[in-house]
């Protein structure tokens, strides 16, 4: 594993790990809230990409993991994800865990022409609502956020109300455990089923019976890699189809 540092003007530096493969699309992993690029899912995805010769990249948001601080705001973390995405080239499959799925959606909005598929793992699509509840109630299983994280948080909300719709620009595939105490699977399914405009793309929601929020057991990782393999190959087939036209 090679860890690199992205030095930025007037912004904290970001640590990231990247593998350049020979096949497209690449895979970008977005860690969850106060998680890091050295987690089980990130390492498994990088290993899968190396074995299958697809590029991979992941990173630590400012002030988390091995990236220097300060943490800044949720908007700053979205900006961090955007800067890391610009280190990639060609089509990408985005994989977001928990809060990472929220970051994934923002990134797909900005780079819709290059994002060819998304995978949400126990996704926090409504992360703004979640983090506000963490501040209000300490019984939730999550570290207390620094006050700066909530600066300008309302403008980052992708689903400010039940009528808000997110128009997909690529397929979306989700896996979520029924015993998730942090983000109930019913919440993410409701958003998936009612607040995403499929826009003609095929998407799926996999309910993992008895599984908790982290979804990091060998069985969970195997399922995640199978989903990623499927989404990657969907784009490979689409690229091949276009080349034949």
């Amino acid at each position: 594993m090679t860890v690199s540092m992205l030095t930025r003007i007037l912004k904290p530096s970001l640590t990231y790990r990247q593998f350049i493969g020979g096949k497209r699309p690449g895979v970008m992993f977005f860690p969850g809230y106060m998680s890091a690029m050295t987690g089980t899912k990130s390492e498994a995805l990088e290993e899968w990409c190396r074995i299958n010769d697809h590029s991979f990249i992941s990173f630590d948001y400012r002030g988390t993991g091995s990236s220097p601080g300060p943490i800044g705001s949720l908007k700053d973390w979205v900006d961090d994800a955007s800067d890391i995405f610009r280190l990639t080239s060609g089509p990408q499959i985005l994989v977001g865990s928990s809060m990472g799925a929220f970051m994934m959606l923002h990134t797909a909005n900005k780079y819709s022409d290059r994002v060819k598929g998304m995978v949400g793992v126990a996704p926090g699509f409504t992360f703004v609502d979640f983090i506000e509840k963490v501040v209000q109630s300490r019984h939730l299983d999550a570290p207390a956020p620094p006050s700066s994280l909530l600066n300008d948080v309302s403008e980052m909300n992708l689903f400010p109300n039940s009528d808000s719709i997110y128009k997909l620009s690529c397929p979306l595939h989700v896996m979520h455990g029924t015993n998730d105490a942090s983000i109930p699977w019913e919440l993410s399914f409701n958003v998936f089923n009612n607040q995403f405009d499929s826009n003609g793309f095929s998407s799926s929601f996999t309910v993992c019976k008895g599984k908790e929020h982290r979804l990091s057991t060998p069985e969970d990782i195997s399922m995640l890699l199978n989903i990623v393999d499927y989404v990657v190959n969907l784009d490979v087939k689409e690229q091949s189809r276009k080349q034949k036209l």
Side-chain angles (χ1 to χ4, degrees):
M1 177 188 70
T2 300
V3 176
S4 303
M5 182 74 74
L6 174 63
T7 302
R8 306 182 293 176
I9 299 174
L10 301 178
K11 300 179 189 177
S13 299
L14 298 174
T15 53
Y16 67 97
R17 48 198 284 188
Q18 185 175 31
F19 165 72
I20 305 297
K23 297 179 182 177
R24 294 184 171 189
V27 175
M28 178 173 177
F29 179 70
F30 299 73
Y33 175 59
M34 303 307 283
S35 295
M37 62 180 178
T38 54
T40 305
K41 289 185 282 292
S42 180
E43 291 187 344
L45 285 166
E46 180 176 4
E47 181 181 14
W48 183 92
C49 285
R50 287 180 179 274
I51 290 172
N52 293 281
D53 198 27
H54 288 273
S55 294
F56 173 83
I57 194 166
S58 187
F59 67 106
D60 288 336
Y61 308 100
R62 69 182 74 185
T64 70
S66 53
S67 287
I71 284 179
S73 67
L74 197 60
K75 186 176 182 179
D76 290 329
W77 281 357
V78 171
D79 182 60
D80 293 345
S82 182
D83 284 347
I84 293 297
F85 185 87
R86 285 197 289 269
L87 296 177
T88 70
S89 62
Q92 298 292 314
I93 304 301
L94 309 185
V95 183
S97 176
S98 190
M99 180 198 73
F102 169 85
M103 300 294 173
M104 172 182 78
L105 294 182
H106 274 284
T107 304
N109 266 347
K110 192 169 185 178
Y111 302 100
S112 59
D113 58 324
R114 291 182 52 209
V115 176
K116 302 303 180 182
M118 295 189 287
V119 178
V121 185
F125 295 136
T126 57
F127 184 73
V128 169
D129 294 337
F130 171 80
I131 203 67
E132 288 176 339
K133 288 179 181 177
V134 170
V135 172
Q136 296 167 5
S137 175
R138 291 305 309 127
H139 75 274
L140 291 174
D141 183 21
S147 58
S148 65
L149 198 63
L150 299 181
N151 292 344
D152 301 318
V153 71
S154 60
E155 67 182 79
M156 305 308 297
N157 197 344
L158 293 167
F159 303 98
N161 56 64
S162 59
D163 296 324
S164 302
I165 299 295
Y166 183 100
K167 190 170 185 177
L168 291 172
S169 59
C170 63
L172 169 65
H173 296 272
V174 174
M175 58 183 290
H176 208 138
T178 58
N179 288 1
D180 191 329
S182 297
I183 304 173
W185 73 270
E186 297 94 338
L187 174 61
S188 65
F189 179 76
N190 182 62
V191 175
F192 173 87
N193 195 45
N194 299 312
Q195 296 187 255
F196 282 105
D197 178 349
S198 64
N199 198 24
F201 294 101
S202 175
S203 298
S204 69
F205 191 104
T206 301
V207 178
C208 307
K209 187 174 176 62
K211 295 295 184 176
E212 300 180 352
H213 184 65
R214 294 186 183 278
L215 291 174
S216 293
T217 68
E219 182 182 43
D220 302 330
I221 296 301
S222 178
M223 180 177 290
L224 170 61
L225 295 180
N226 284 338
I227 293 173
V228 170
D229 181 81
Y230 172 74
V231 178
V232 164
N233 280 292
L234 277 180
D235 186 61
V236 169
K237 291 176 182 177
E238 178 62 15
Q239 290 179 45
S240 177
R241 185 189 69 81
K242 288 181 178 178
Q243 289 174 359
K244 294 176 180 178
L245 294 178

